[in-house]
Amino acid sequence: MDAHLANMEMRSHWNGVYKAKKSTEASWYQAHPEKSLSLIKVSGISAEAAIIDIGGGASTLADHLLELKYRNLWVLDISGEALIKATSRIGRNSEAVRWIEADITKAVLPHNHFYLWHDRAVFHFLIAPEDR
């Protein structure tokens, strides 16, 4: 299967998951991502430091980081549906986040830009050696 077709199937799969289920119904859902927030806090990075959440989709991490006054947040997910759910949930404050709909294995991101890279589950789903 060609890489473009595989990417489209992956995007279609995750869009289908987020259309069919509420975010709270996903097995990986956390209303308050305690462990991630704790690790970010102890990292000591400033509120201006660039943080990217890979596969962050409908996660609540961005909500909590905004509440904690982090101001350089990026969220990348292959599913536009997941990003729509997140921006709808966050509301007007979602404008403070850079939302990227992309496959992480193909995404072009700024070089040496991020101080913290968060990924709670997405790399678990990359089972092809070339994707890892």
Side-chain angles (χ1 to χ4, degrees), residues 2-45:
D2 107 343
H4 179 70
L5 184 56
N7 181 299
M8 293 300 290
E9 285 184 10
M10 187 69 72
R11 184 179 313 272
S12 177
H13 167 77
W14 287 110
N15 279 332
V17 167
Y18 283 103
K19 280 182 182 177
K21 292 183 174 190
K22 295 178 183 175
S23 301
T24 57
E25 295 173 331
S27 63
W28 55 85
Y29 174 78
Q30 294 178 308
H32 193 347
E34 297 287 342
K35 186 68 166 177
S36 295
L37 289 167
S38 172
L39 291 170
I40 292 169
K41 287 177 189 176
V42 299
S43 75
I45 63 171

Short mmCIF file of all heavy atoms in Angstrom, two decimals, residues 2-45:
data_model
loop_
_atom_site.label_atom_id
_atom_site.label_comp_id
_atom_site.label_asym_id
_atom_site.label_seq_id
_atom_site.Cartn_x
_atom_site.Cartn_y
_atom_site.Cartn_z
N ASP A 2 0.56 2.20 -0.82
CA ASP A 2 1.39 3.41 -0.87
C ASP A 2 1.18 4.26 0.38
O ASP A 2 0.14 4.20 1.03
CB ASP A 2 1.17 4.12 -2.20
CG ASP A 2 0.37 5.39 -2.20
OD1 ASP A 2 -0.34 5.67 -1.23
OD2 ASP A 2 0.47 6.12 -3.20
N ALA A 3 2.21 5.03 0.74
CA ALA A 3 2.21 5.79 2.00
C ALA A 3 1.07 6.79 2.07
O ALA A 3 0.46 6.98 3.13
CB ALA A 3 3.55 6.49 2.18
N HIS A 4 0.74 7.44 0.95
CA HIS A 4 -0.34 8.43 0.95
C HIS A 4 -1.68 7.76 1.27
O HIS A 4 -2.48 8.28 2.05
CB HIS A 4 -0.40 9.15 -0.40
CG HIS A 4 -1.50 10.15 -0.48
ND1 HIS A 4 -1.47 11.33 0.23
CD2 HIS A 4 -2.68 10.14 -1.15
CE1 HIS A 4 -2.58 12.02 0.00
NE2 HIS A 4 -3.33 11.32 -0.83
N LEU A 5 -1.91 6.59 0.67
CA LEU A 5 -3.15 5.87 0.91
C LEU A 5 -3.22 5.41 2.37
O LEU A 5 -4.26 5.54 3.02
CB LEU A 5 -3.26 4.67 -0.03
CG LEU A 5 -4.55 3.86 0.05
CD1 LEU A 5 -5.77 4.74 -0.17
CD2 LEU A 5 -4.52 2.73 -0.96
N ALA A 6 -2.12 4.92 2.90
CA ALA A 6 -2.10 4.50 4.30
C ALA A 6 -2.40 5.67 5.22
O ALA A 6 -3.12 5.55 6.20
CB ALA A 6 -0.74 3.88 4.64
N ASN A 7 -1.85 6.85 4.90
CA ASN A 7 -2.09 8.06 5.69
C ASN A 7 -3.57 8.42 5.65
O ASN A 7 -4.15 8.77 6.68
CB ASN A 7 -1.22 9.20 5.16
CG ASN A 7 -1.40 10.48 5.95
OD1 ASN A 7 -2.49 11.02 6.02
ND2 ASN A 7 -0.32 10.96 6.52
N MET A 8 -4.17 8.35 4.49
CA MET A 8 -5.60 8.68 4.35
C MET A 8 -6.45 7.69 5.15
O MET A 8 -7.43 8.09 5.78
CB MET A 8 -6.01 8.66 2.87
CG MET A 8 -5.36 9.76 2.04
SD MET A 8 -5.77 11.41 2.63
CE MET A 8 -7.49 11.48 2.18
N GLU A 9 -6.08 6.41 5.13
CA GLU A 9 -6.83 5.42 5.89
C GLU A 9 -6.71 5.68 7.39
O GLU A 9 -7.68 5.54 8.13
CB GLU A 9 -6.36 4.00 5.54
CG GLU A 9 -6.86 3.55 4.19
CD GLU A 9 -6.47 2.12 3.88
OE1 GLU A 9 -5.97 1.40 4.76
OE2 GLU A 9 -6.69 1.71 2.72
N MET A 10 -5.52 6.05 7.84
CA MET A 10 -5.30 6.34 9.26
C MET A 10 -6.13 7.56 9.67
O MET A 10 -6.79 7.55 10.70
CB MET A 10 -3.82 6.59 9.53
CG MET A 10 -3.50 6.73 10.99
SD MET A 10 -3.66 5.22 11.94
CE MET A 10 -2.27 4.31 11.37
N ARG A 11 -6.10 8.60 8.86
CA ARG A 11 -6.88 9.82 9.14
C ARG A 11 -8.37 9.48 9.17
O ARG A 11 -9.09 9.90 10.07
CB ARG A 11 -6.59 10.88 8.07
CG ARG A 11 -7.27 12.20 8.30
CD ARG A 11 -6.92 13.23 7.22
NE ARG A 11 -5.52 13.29 6.94
CZ ARG A 11 -4.62 14.07 7.57
NH1 ARG A 11 -5.02 14.86 8.52
NH2 ARG A 11 -3.35 14.05 7.23
N SER A 12 -8.83 8.71 8.21
CA SER A 12 -10.24 8.32 8.14
C SER A 12 -10.63 7.49 9.37
O SER A 12 -11.71 7.69 9.95
CB SER A 12 -10.48 7.53 6.86
OG SER A 12 -11.80 7.08 6.80
N HIS A 13 -9.75 6.58 9.76
CA HIS A 13 -10.01 5.75 10.94
C HIS A 13 -10.22 6.63 12.18
O HIS A 13 -11.21 6.49 12.89
CB HIS A 13 -8.86 4.78 11.19
CG HIS A 13 -8.93 4.13 12.53
ND1 HIS A 13 -9.80 3.11 12.82
CD2 HIS A 13 -8.26 4.40 13.68
CE1 HIS A 13 -9.67 2.76 14.10
NE2 HIS A 13 -8.72 3.53 14.65
N TRP A 14 -9.28 7.55 12.45
CA TRP A 14 -9.36 8.36 13.67
C TRP A 14 -10.50 9.38 13.60
O TRP A 14 -11.14 9.66 14.62
CB TRP A 14 -8.02 9.02 13.98
CG TRP A 14 -7.07 7.98 14.49
CD1 TRP A 14 -5.96 7.48 13.85
CD2 TRP A 14 -7.17 7.26 15.72
NE1 TRP A 14 -5.37 6.51 14.62
CE2 TRP A 14 -6.09 6.35 15.77
CE3 TRP A 14 -8.06 7.28 16.78
CZ2 TRP A 14 -5.89 5.49 16.84
CZ3 TRP A 14 -7.86 6.42 17.85
CH2 TRP A 14 -6.78 5.54 17.87
N ASN A 15 -10.78 9.90 12.42
CA ASN A 15 -11.95 10.78 12.30
C ASN A 15 -13.22 10.00 12.62
O ASN A 15 -14.12 10.51 13.30
CB ASN A 15 -12.03 11.41 10.92
CG ASN A 15 -11.12 12.61 10.78
OD1 ASN A 15 -10.81 13.30 11.75
ND2 ASN A 15 -10.67 12.87 9.56
N GLY A 16 -13.29 8.75 12.17
CA GLY A 16 -14.44 7.90 12.46
C GLY A 16 -14.59 7.62 13.95
O GLY A 16 -15.70 7.65 14.49
N VAL A 17 -13.47 7.38 14.62
CA VAL A 17 -13.50 7.14 16.06
C VAL A 17 -14.08 8.35 16.78
O VAL A 17 -14.96 8.23 17.64
CB VAL A 17 -12.09 6.81 16.60
CG1 VAL A 17 -12.04 6.88 18.12
CG2 VAL A 17 -11.63 5.45 16.10
N TYR A 18 -13.60 9.55 16.42
CA TYR A 18 -14.05 10.76 17.11
C TYR A 18 -15.45 11.18 16.70
O TYR A 18 -16.13 11.86 17.47
CB TYR A 18 -13.05 11.90 16.92
CG TYR A 18 -11.85 11.71 17.82
CD1 TYR A 18 -10.65 11.24 17.33
CD2 TYR A 18 -11.95 11.96 19.19
CE1 TYR A 18 -9.56 11.04 18.16
CE2 TYR A 18 -10.87 11.76 20.03
CZ TYR A 18 -9.68 11.30 19.50
OH TYR A 18 -8.62 11.10 20.35
N LYS A 19 -15.92 10.78 15.52
CA LYS A 19 -17.31 11.05 15.15
C LYS A 19 -18.26 10.11 15.89
O LYS A 19 -19.35 10.50 16.27
CB LYS A 19 -17.50 10.86 13.64
CG LYS A 19 -17.05 12.02 12.81
CD LYS A 19 -17.32 11.76 11.34
CE LYS A 19 -16.82 12.91 10.49
NZ LYS A 19 -17.00 12.65 9.05
N ALA A 20 -17.83 8.87 16.09
CA ALA A 20 -18.69 7.85 16.68
C ALA A 20 -18.77 7.91 18.20
O ALA A 20 -19.77 7.50 18.79
CB ALA A 20 -18.22 6.46 16.25
N LYS A 21 -17.71 8.41 18.83
CA LYS A 21 -17.65 8.40 20.29
C LYS A 21 -17.49 9.80 20.85
O LYS A 21 -16.89 10.66 20.23
CB LYS A 21 -16.44 7.59 20.77
CG LYS A 21 -16.50 6.14 20.52
CD LYS A 21 -15.27 5.47 21.12
CE LYS A 21 -15.38 3.97 21.02
NZ LYS A 21 -14.33 3.31 21.78
N LYS A 22 -18.00 9.97 22.06
CA LYS A 22 -17.69 11.17 22.81
C LYS A 22 -16.24 11.04 23.26
O LYS A 22 -15.76 9.92 23.48
CB LYS A 22 -18.59 11.29 24.03
CG LYS A 22 -20.04 11.49 23.71
CD LYS A 22 -20.85 11.54 24.99
CE LYS A 22 -22.32 11.67 24.66
NZ LYS A 22 -23.14 11.60 25.87
N SER A 23 -15.56 12.14 23.42
CA SER A 23 -14.17 12.09 23.89
C SER A 23 -14.05 11.33 25.20
O SER A 23 -13.08 10.61 25.43
CB SER A 23 -13.62 13.51 24.07
OG SER A 23 -13.69 14.21 22.85
N THR A 24 -15.05 11.48 26.05
CA THR A 24 -15.02 10.83 27.37
C THR A 24 -15.18 9.32 27.29
O THR A 24 -14.93 8.62 28.27
CB THR A 24 -16.12 11.41 28.27
OG1 THR A 24 -17.39 11.23 27.62
CG2 THR A 24 -15.89 12.88 28.56
N GLU A 25 -15.58 8.80 26.13
CA GLU A 25 -15.77 7.36 25.96
C GLU A 25 -14.51 6.64 25.48
O GLU A 25 -14.46 5.42 25.47
CB GLU A 25 -16.91 7.09 24.96
CG GLU A 25 -18.25 7.56 25.45
CD GLU A 25 -19.33 7.45 24.39
OE1 GLU A 25 -19.03 7.53 23.18
OE2 GLU A 25 -20.50 7.28 24.79
N ALA A 26 -13.49 7.39 25.11
CA ALA A 26 -12.24 6.77 24.66
C ALA A 26 -11.50 6.19 25.85
O ALA A 26 -11.49 6.77 26.93
CB ALA A 26 -11.37 7.81 23.95
N SER A 27 -10.88 5.05 25.65
CA SER A 27 -10.20 4.37 26.77
C SER A 27 -9.06 5.20 27.36
O SER A 27 -8.72 5.04 28.52
CB SER A 27 -9.67 3.02 26.31
OG SER A 27 -8.69 3.18 25.31
N TRP A 28 -8.52 6.10 26.58
CA TRP A 28 -7.38 6.91 27.04
C TRP A 28 -7.80 8.26 27.62
O TRP A 28 -6.97 9.04 28.04
CB TRP A 28 -6.40 7.14 25.89
CG TRP A 28 -7.06 7.76 24.70
CD1 TRP A 28 -7.29 9.09 24.49
CD2 TRP A 28 -7.60 7.08 23.58
NE1 TRP A 28 -7.96 9.28 23.30
CE2 TRP A 28 -8.16 8.05 22.71
CE3 TRP A 28 -7.68 5.74 23.20
CZ2 TRP A 28 -8.78 7.73 21.52
CZ3 TRP A 28 -8.28 5.43 22.00
CH2 TRP A 28 -8.82 6.41 21.18
N TYR A 29 -9.09 8.53 27.69
CA TYR A 29 -9.58 9.82 28.18
C TYR A 29 -9.22 10.03 29.65
O TYR A 29 -9.34 9.13 30.49
CB TYR A 29 -11.10 9.92 28.02
CG TYR A 29 -11.65 11.17 28.65
CD1 TYR A 29 -11.54 12.39 28.01
CD2 TYR A 29 -12.26 11.14 29.90
CE1 TYR A 29 -12.03 13.56 28.59
CE2 TYR A 29 -12.76 12.30 30.49
CZ TYR A 29 -12.64 13.50 29.82
OH TYR A 29 -13.10 14.64 30.40
N GLN A 30 -8.79 11.24 29.96
CA GLN A 30 -8.55 11.66 31.34
C GLN A 30 -9.13 13.06 31.51
O GLN A 30 -8.75 13.97 30.79
CB GLN A 30 -7.05 11.76 31.63
CG GLN A 30 -6.31 10.45 31.59
CD GLN A 30 -4.83 10.67 31.86
OE1 GLN A 30 -4.20 11.49 31.21
NE2 GLN A 30 -4.30 9.93 32.80
N ALA A 31 -10.06 13.21 32.44
CA ALA A 31 -10.64 14.53 32.70
C ALA A 31 -9.56 15.49 33.19
O ALA A 31 -9.56 16.67 32.85
CB ALA A 31 -11.76 14.43 33.72
N HIS A 32 -8.65 14.96 33.97
CA HIS A 32 -7.55 15.78 34.50
C HIS A 32 -6.27 14.96 34.37
O HIS A 32 -6.03 14.05 35.16
CB HIS A 32 -7.82 16.13 35.96
CG HIS A 32 -6.93 17.20 36.49
ND1 HIS A 32 -5.81 17.65 35.87
CD2 HIS A 32 -7.01 17.93 37.62
CE1 HIS A 32 -5.23 18.60 36.59
NE2 HIS A 32 -5.95 18.79 37.65
N PRO A 33 -5.45 15.25 33.36
CA PRO A 33 -4.25 14.45 33.12
C PRO A 33 -3.15 14.71 34.15
O PRO A 33 -2.14 15.37 33.89
CB PRO A 33 -3.82 14.88 31.71
CG PRO A 33 -4.36 16.26 31.55
CD PRO A 33 -5.62 16.30 32.36
N GLU A 34 -3.38 14.19 35.36
CA GLU A 34 -2.50 14.45 36.51
C GLU A 34 -1.03 14.19 36.23
O GLU A 34 -0.17 15.03 36.52
CB GLU A 34 -2.93 13.58 37.70
CG GLU A 34 -4.31 13.86 38.21
CD GLU A 34 -4.42 15.15 38.98
OE1 GLU A 34 -3.40 15.70 39.42
OE2 GLU A 34 -5.56 15.63 39.12
N LYS A 35 -0.72 13.00 35.72
CA LYS A 35 0.69 12.62 35.52
C LYS A 35 1.38 13.55 34.54
O LYS A 35 2.49 14.03 34.80
CB LYS A 35 0.79 11.16 35.05
CG LYS A 35 2.19 10.65 34.98
CD LYS A 35 2.78 10.53 36.36
CE LYS A 35 4.04 9.71 36.34
NZ LYS A 35 4.68 9.64 37.65
N SER A 36 0.74 13.83 33.43
CA SER A 36 1.34 14.72 32.42
C SER A 36 1.54 16.12 33.00
O SER A 36 2.61 16.71 32.82
CB SER A 36 0.46 14.79 31.17
OG SER A 36 0.41 13.53 30.55
N LEU A 37 0.53 16.64 33.68
CA LEU A 37 0.64 17.97 34.27
C LEU A 37 1.75 18.03 35.31
O LEU A 37 2.52 18.98 35.37
CB LEU A 37 -0.69 18.41 34.87
CG LEU A 37 -1.78 18.72 33.85
CD1 LEU A 37 -3.13 18.84 34.54
CD2 LEU A 37 -1.46 19.98 33.07
N SER A 38 1.84 16.98 36.10
CA SER A 38 2.88 16.92 37.13
C SER A 38 4.27 16.93 36.50
O SER A 38 5.16 17.66 36.95
CB SER A 38 2.67 15.65 37.97
OG SER A 38 3.76 15.46 38.84
N LEU A 39 4.46 16.13 35.46
CA LEU A 39 5.76 16.08 34.80
C LEU A 39 6.11 17.41 34.13
O LEU A 39 7.27 17.83 34.15
CB LEU A 39 5.78 14.93 33.78
CG LEU A 39 5.77 13.53 34.38
CD1 LEU A 39 5.55 12.48 33.30
CD2 LEU A 39 7.06 13.26 35.15
N ILE A 40 5.12 18.06 33.55
CA ILE A 40 5.37 19.37 32.92
C ILE A 40 5.76 20.39 33.98
O ILE A 40 6.71 21.15 33.81
CB ILE A 40 4.14 19.82 32.10
CG1 ILE A 40 3.99 18.91 30.87
CG2 ILE A 40 4.29 21.29 31.67
CD1 ILE A 40 2.69 19.06 30.12
N LYS A 41 5.04 20.38 35.10
CA LYS A 41 5.37 21.31 36.19
C LYS A 41 6.78 21.10 36.71
O LYS A 41 7.53 22.06 36.89
CB LYS A 41 4.35 21.19 37.32
CG LYS A 41 3.00 21.78 37.01
CD LYS A 41 2.04 21.55 38.17
CE LYS A 41 0.63 21.94 37.81
NZ LYS A 41 -0.32 21.62 38.90
N VAL A 42 7.16 19.85 36.96
CA VAL A 42 8.50 19.60 37.53
C VAL A 42 9.61 19.81 36.51
O VAL A 42 10.77 19.93 36.89
CB VAL A 42 8.64 18.20 38.18
CG1 VAL A 42 7.68 18.03 39.33
CG2 VAL A 42 8.52 17.09 37.17
N SER A 43 9.26 19.91 35.22
CA SER A 43 10.30 20.17 34.21
C SER A 43 10.89 21.57 34.40
O SER A 43 12.01 21.83 33.99
CB SER A 43 9.73 20.05 32.80
OG SER A 43 8.92 21.17 32.47
N GLY A 44 10.11 22.45 35.03
CA GLY A 44 10.59 23.80 35.30
C GLY A 44 10.58 24.74 34.11
O GLY A 44 11.12 25.85 34.20
N ILE A 45 9.96 24.33 33.01
CA ILE A 45 9.95 25.23 31.85
C ILE A 45 9.05 26.43 32.13
O ILE A 45 8.11 26.35 32.91
CB ILE A 45 9.52 24.52 30.54
CG1 ILE A 45 8.09 24.00 30.63
CG2 ILE A 45 10.48 23.41 30.20
CD1 ILE A 45 7.56 23.51 29.31
#
